[in-house]
């Protein structure tokens, strides 16, 4: 009982921290979106704003789950977390394709506009996954779909992050990139928690998920500070 009570406190604190830091992150991302007039930055700030909204919603759903909410809220928590992972990946891609590292438009196998449409299709898949969760409940199949989807989005984001490293090394953008990469890792760790519980004991998988949850809330603070500094520089 004492262990369960401790884990409940950790879950509540973690979700609360994620909700608060996500809301502040959203605010400063929106401020950057409104103030930054550089061409090509609009979509980047837009994706970061969506990331903040998704994380905030995930934290709020988590608090409701700790309070005893049911399957609908759990499904919504899952889908908002997958949205968050996807939006980090899309933000990394946006920066890459607006950098000097990106190949010219004429040499690309897939245009940026088409790639965005494909990514939108991925987002639709997330929505379908949410409907599946609502219909099937938190089954093993759903855990696999969620875990594999999270890993796929994370790999997509990491690929673009690594491409950006040589270009942005030592800059403010590189610092923000590294912070967002840590956020991506923690969010993915939470998403694959149910998948890990299928191959290992829940007594190990659940606490590990809660560790990633608390880390996610804490690791949102540094990029939020960077966004705040960016707003101060643009004002």
């Amino acid at each position: 009982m004492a262990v369960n009570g401790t884990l409940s406190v950790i879950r509540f604190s973690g979700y609360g921290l994620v909700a608060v830091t996500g809301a502040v992150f959203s605010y400063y991302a929106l401020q950057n979106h409104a103030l930054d007039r550089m061409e090509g930055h609009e979509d980047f700030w837009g994706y970061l704003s969506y990331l903040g909204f998704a994380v905030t919603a995930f934290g709020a759903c988590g608090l409701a789950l700790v309070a005893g909410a049911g399957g609908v809220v759990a499904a919504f928590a899952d889908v908002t977390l997958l949205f968050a992972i996807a939006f980090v990946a899309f933000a990394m891609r946006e920066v890459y394709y607006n950098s000097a590292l990106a190949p010219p438009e004429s040499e690309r196998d897939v245009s940026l506009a088409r790639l965005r449409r494909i990514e939108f299709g991925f987002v639709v898949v997330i929505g379908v996954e949410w409907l599946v969760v609502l219909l099937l409940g938190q089954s093993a199949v759903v855990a696999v779909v969620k875990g594999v989807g999270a890993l796929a989005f994370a790999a997509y984001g990491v690929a673009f992050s690594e491409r950006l490293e040589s270009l942005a090394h030592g800059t403010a953008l590189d610092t923000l990139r590294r912070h967002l990469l840590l956020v991506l890792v923690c969010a993915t760790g939470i998403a694959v928690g149910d998948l890990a519980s299928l191959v290992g004991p829940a007594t190990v998988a659940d606490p590990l998920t809660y560790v990633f949850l608390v880390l996610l809330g804490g690791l949102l603070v540094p990029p939020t500070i960077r966004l705040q500094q960016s707003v101060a520089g643009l004002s």
Side-chain angles (χ1 to χ4, degrees), residues 171-191:
T171 65
L173 176 60
D174 183 47
T175 302
L176 180 59
R177 178 193 65 83
R178 287 186 283 110
H179 289 319
L180 290 175
L181 190 58
L182 292 174
V183 169
L184 179 64
V185 169
C186 289
T188 305
I190 298 170

Side-chain angles (χ1 to χ4, degrees), residues 157-233:
V158 169
F160 284 111
S161 176
E162 291 304 310
R163 293 180 188 181
L164 285 167
E165 184 174 6
S166 60
L167 176 71
H169 185 70
T171 65
L173 176 60
D174 183 47
T175 302
L176 180 59
R177 178 193 65 83
R178 287 186 283 110
H179 289 319
L180 290 175
L181 190 58
L182 292 174
V183 169
L184 179 64
V185 169
C186 289
T188 305
I190 298 170
V192 301
D194 290 340
L195 184 60
S197 65
L198 297 178
V199 296
T203 53
V204 175
D206 289 347
L208 188 60
T209 301
Y210 301 152
V211 169
F212 279 120
L213 176 64
V214 174
L215 284 174
L216 176 61
L219 290 172
L220 275 169
V221 174
T224 300
I225 293 174
R226 286 294 175 182
L227 293 181
Q228 182 183 25
Q229 293 172 341
S230 177
V231 169

Side-chain angles (χ1 to χ4, degrees), residues 10 66 76 87 90 92 99 123 128 135 164-165 174 201 213 215 220 228:
I10 294 174
V66 175
F76 196 72
F87 289 138
F90 296 166
M92 296 290 190
S99 71
V123 173
V128 172
L135 293 173
L164 285 167
E165 184 174 6
D174 183 47
L213 176 64
L215 284 174
L220 275 169
Q228 182 183 25

Side-chain angles (χ1 to χ4, degrees), residues 52-164:
F53 298 150
V55 169
T56 303
F58 172 70
C61 288
L63 290 174
L65 288 172
V66 175
V72 173
V73 175
F76 196 72
D78 287 344
V79 78
T80 53
L81 182 60
L82 286 177
F83 276 137
I85 295 169
F87 289 138
V88 177
F90 296 166
M92 296 290 190
R93 185 268 303 147
E94 196 67 34
V95 175
Y96 170 74
Y97 273 100
N98 283 285
S99 71
L101 288 177
E105 186 73 31
S106 59
E107 297 179 9
R108 297 175 187 174
D109 294 331
V110 180
S111 68
L112 181 56
R114 184 178 180 185
L115 186 59
R116 287 171 177 161
R117 289 195 295 271
I118 294 173
E119 291 172 351
F120 178 77
F122 291 158
V123 173
V124 172
V125 170
I126 295 178
V128 172
E129 186 268 348
W130 181 50
L131 292 177
V132 171
V133 173
L134 286 176
L135 293 173
L136 300 182
Q138 296 292 330
S139 65
V141 174
V142 171
V144 171
V145 171
K146 182 177 70 173
V148 172
L151 289 172
F153 281 127
Y156 185 71
V158 169
F160 284 111
S161 176
E162 291 304 310
R163 293 180 188 181
L164 285 167

